[in-house]
């Protein structure tokens, strides 16, 4: 059984949540809408599906340190509490709703109970009298298999010692995958965002020609590109070369169609911009054709990470578009210290979550936790092949 989307609401100006808000909400702001008072309710219309429902909320508490450094939230479905959480920053919190609580209903009433809500005026922050709980950005509802826990199967880190280098990890990689670390990395296809995973592959001796391997692309443009097979990404008229304004001197490539930026690893002192542009466009034609072949074949495990904390709700739209092209699977990697660093959780046959202690900061992709990445890739590959997916690179 696949994980499928049951509902999604986006809050804030430009979102679609307002018609579903019943009571206890402020006016939409740029990226969120505040819960006002001790409770806020909304109606959620569900698409048909099987299994339990996983509700995921992306939200941030109103805070004024040191007077108010966190807030509590409880979530009720049709009047029954399904969970509670504490947030100290923008967070993604998830609650599983058993099917027996939902039945055959196609509409749910959700209540966010915010016992710590307070007004800025009461805290003498400003004159705003609104009693603010949480600024909600998004709510996602996902149908998940009823017979399995949220983590259907997990693989622990390859080594209990987080300082183990590649030489010590190599035998462990071979033991669970039957591959060298270099060959292992060739079974993965990066979905960009930054260069971190591309540099992980390079550090392991693998240099696949991936379309997005060294690309910076926003989540919305990634979805747009996957939806249209990155049509136009190899259009010479949409490709520009510019000097890197930060860091080492280098020609950078910009693809206007999807606002993507890529390293060329070529220096202005050694080659002119037009020659670099012409060479990169030729490579793009090949890389896009190869990327589409990978999409259709399902022979590689796609990898995606963002700087923000990721959950199934963030990964699912990407996975659904990957599925539309072929029998694909997705590994998303998130910085979450609540799970063992280097471990992998199988959430469904084609969806895997890799857990790492940190992702490399912007502009310093080479500062990645390489042993943890190797552990994640080995574990994800093992679970992927156990599911009967994938093939030779």
């Amino acid at each position: 059984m696949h994980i499928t989307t049951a509902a999604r609401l986006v809050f804030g100006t430009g979102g679609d949540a307002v018609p579903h808000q019943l009571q206890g909400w402020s006016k939409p702001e740029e990226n969120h809408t505040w819960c006002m008072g001790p409770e806020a309710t909304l109606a959620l219309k569900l698409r048909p599906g099987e299994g339990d429902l996983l509700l995921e909320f992306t939200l941030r508490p109103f805070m004024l340190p040191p007077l108010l450094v966190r807030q509590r939230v409880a979530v009720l479905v049709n009047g029954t509490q399904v969970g509670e959480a504490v947030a100290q920053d923008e967070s993604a919190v998830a609650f599983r709703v058993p099917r027996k609580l939902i039945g055959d209903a196609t509409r749910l009433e959700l209540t966010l109970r915010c016992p710590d809500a307070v007004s800025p005026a009461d805290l003498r922050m400003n004159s705003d009298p609104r009693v603010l709980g949480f600024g909600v950005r998004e709510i996602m509802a996902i149908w998940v298999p009823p017979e399995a826990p949220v983590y259907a199967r997990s693989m622990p880190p390859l080594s209990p010692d987080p300082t183990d280098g590649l030489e010590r990890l190599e035998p462990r990689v071979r033991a669970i995958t039957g591959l060298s670390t270099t060959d292992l990395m060739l079974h993965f296809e990066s979905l960009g965002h930054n260069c971190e995973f591309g540099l992980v592959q390079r550090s392991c001796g693998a240099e696949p020609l991936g379309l997005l391997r060294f690309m910076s692309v926003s989540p919305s443009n990634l979805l747009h590109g996957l939806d249209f097979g990155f049509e136009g990404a190899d259009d010479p008229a949409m490709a520009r070369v510019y000097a890197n304004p930060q860091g080492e001197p280098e020609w950078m490539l910009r693809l206007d169609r999807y606002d993507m930026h890529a390293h060329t690893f070529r220096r202005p002192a050694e080659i002119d911009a037009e020659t670099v542009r012409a060479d990169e466009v030729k490579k793009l034609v090949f890389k896009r054709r190869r990327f589409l072949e990978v999409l259709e074949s399902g022979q590689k495990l796609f990898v995606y990470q963002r700087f923000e904390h990721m959950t199934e709700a963030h990964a699912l739209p990407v996975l659904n578009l990957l599925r539309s092209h072929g029998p694909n699977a997705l590994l998303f990697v998130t910085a979450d210290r609540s799970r063992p660093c280097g471990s992998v959780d199988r959430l469904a046959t084609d969806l895997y979550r890799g857990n790492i202690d940190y992702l490399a900061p912007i502009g310093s992709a080479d500062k990645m936790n390489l042993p943890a990445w190797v552990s994640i890739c080995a574990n994800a590959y093992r679970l992927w092949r156990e599911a009967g997916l994938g093939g030779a690179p």
Side-chain angles (χ1 to χ4, degrees):
M1 173 183 170
H2 283 310
I3 292 176
T4 56
T5 304
R8 180 181 182 228
L9 293 180
V10 177
F11 291 75
T13 55
D16 57 2
V18 170
H20 304 271
Q21 295 168 192
L22 301 180
Q23 62 180 13
W25 297 93
S26 183
K27 291 181 179 179
E29 299 184 23
E30 184 175 357
N31 294 310
H32 62 272
T33 302
W34 287 105
C35 301
M36 288 204 311
E39 289 188 355
T41 60
L42 60 91
L44 192 66
K45 186 177 181 180
L46 303 178
R47 300 184 189 95
E50 299 177 2
D52 295 339
L53 196 67
L54 187 67
L55 289 175
E56 298 204 1
F57 299 78
T58 303
L59 41 72
R60 65 183 180 92
F62 168 65
M63 296 189 302
L64 183 63
L67 298 177
L68 182 63
V69 296
R70 65 177 187 171
Q71 287 213 39
R72 295 168 292 167
V73 61
V75 173
L76 291 77
V77 173
N78 294 340
T80 299
Q81 183 168 318
V82 295
E84 57 186 352
V86 178
Q88 303 179 65
D89 202 346
E90 180 161 314
S91 306
V93 296
F95 307 97
R96 190 166 187 147
V97 184
R99 185 71 195 220
K100 62 183 180 181
L101 182 60
I102 304 167
D104 296 324
T106 59
R107 180 184 180 277
L108 301 180
E109 184 171 296
L110 303 186
T111 301
L112 280 73
R113 190 168 285 167
C114 309
D116 303 315
V118 65
S119 74
D122 286 343
L123 295 179
R124 298 185 179 181
M125 176 182 180
N126 55 41
S127 60
D128 187 348
R130 295 177 300 166
V131 177
L132 303 179
F134 286 81
V136 182
R137 292 175 62 103
E138 182 181 71
I139 297 176
M140 179 82 82
I142 304 168
W143 294 115
V144 295
E147 71 280 359
V150 173
Y151 302 118
R153 171 147 156 63
S154 297
M155 294 285 288
L158 284 187
S159 171
D161 185 351
T163 65
D164 277 352
L166 289 185
E167 289 186 4
R168 292 180 64 88
L169 290 178
E170 182 75 22
R172 298 173 185 266
V173 170
R174 288 186 179 274
I176 71 167
T177 69
L179 300 170
S180 68
T181 302
T182 300
D183 289 340
L184 170 67
M185 290 297 164
L186 294 174
H187 286 267
F188 294 84
E189 185 79 12
S190 175
L191 289 175
H193 187 63
N194 74 343
C195 303
E196 182 168 357
F197 186 66
L199 292 176
V200 167
Q201 291 175 307
R202 175 167 292 174
S203 298
C204 295
E207 294 286 1
L209 291 174
L211 176 65
L212 303 177
R213 184 179 170 208
F214 292 114
M215 284 280 185
S216 171
V217 56
S218 70
S220 59
N221 282 325
L222 173 65
L223 295 175
H224 180 60
L226 289 173
D227 199 14
F228 290 92
F230 283 98
E231 181 181 359
D234 51 0
D235 182 354
M238 304 292 283
R240 295 189 288 116
V241 169
Y242 64 96
N244 186 5
Q246 300 176 342
E248 294 294 325
E250 178 190 359
W251 289 120
M252 302 292 292
L253 177 69
R254 174 188 163 103
L255 305 180
D256 290 341
R257 177 70 180 273
Y258 301 98
D259 191 22
M260 298 194 299
H261 300 255
H263 289 279
T264 69
F265 301 103
R266 306 179 82 173
R267 298 168 63 88
E270 299 168 352
I271 190 169
D272 64 275
E274 185 52 37
T275 301
V276 172
R277 193 186 77 86
D279 290 348
E280 292 299 319
V281 168
K282 289 178 183 177
K283 293 178 186 177
L284 283 169
V285 173
F286 171 78
K287 288 180 179 180
R288 178 173 175 260
R289 182 173 69 246
R290 177 193 164 279
F291 185 80
L292 294 176
E293 290 171 353
V294 172
L295 275 175
E296 293 173 2
S297 69
Q299 289 188 339
K300 295 207 176 190
L301 180 52
F302 286 89
V303 181
Y304 186 46
Q305 90 274 357
R306 303 191 315 185
F307 295 119
E308 303 86 355
H309 179 66
M310 283 188 68
T311 69
E312 297 93 315
H314 302 110
L316 187 63
V318 178
L319 177 59
N320 285 340
L321 285 170
L322 292 173
R323 287 178 186 155
S324 72
H325 292 277
N328 292 302
L330 177 65
L331 164 66
F332 72 94
V333 179
T334 187
D336 184 354
R337 294 178 182 271
S338 70
R339 303 287 295 157
C341 179
S343 65
V344 174
D345 304 307
R346 187 180 70 203
L347 309 178
T349 303
D350 50 7
L351 182 61
Y352 309 89
R353 168 181 160 144
N355 305 294
I356 199 165
D357 54 351
Y358 71 91
L359 292 167
I362 296 174
S364 301
D366 59 332
K367 305 300 183 184
M368 70 281 193
N369 185 340
L370 184 59
W373 271 106
V374 171
S375 178
I376 287 169
C377 289
N379 283 327
Y381 177 85
R382 172 70 176 268
L383 293 172
W384 182 51
R385 294 312 296 267
E386 279 184 0
L389 301 174

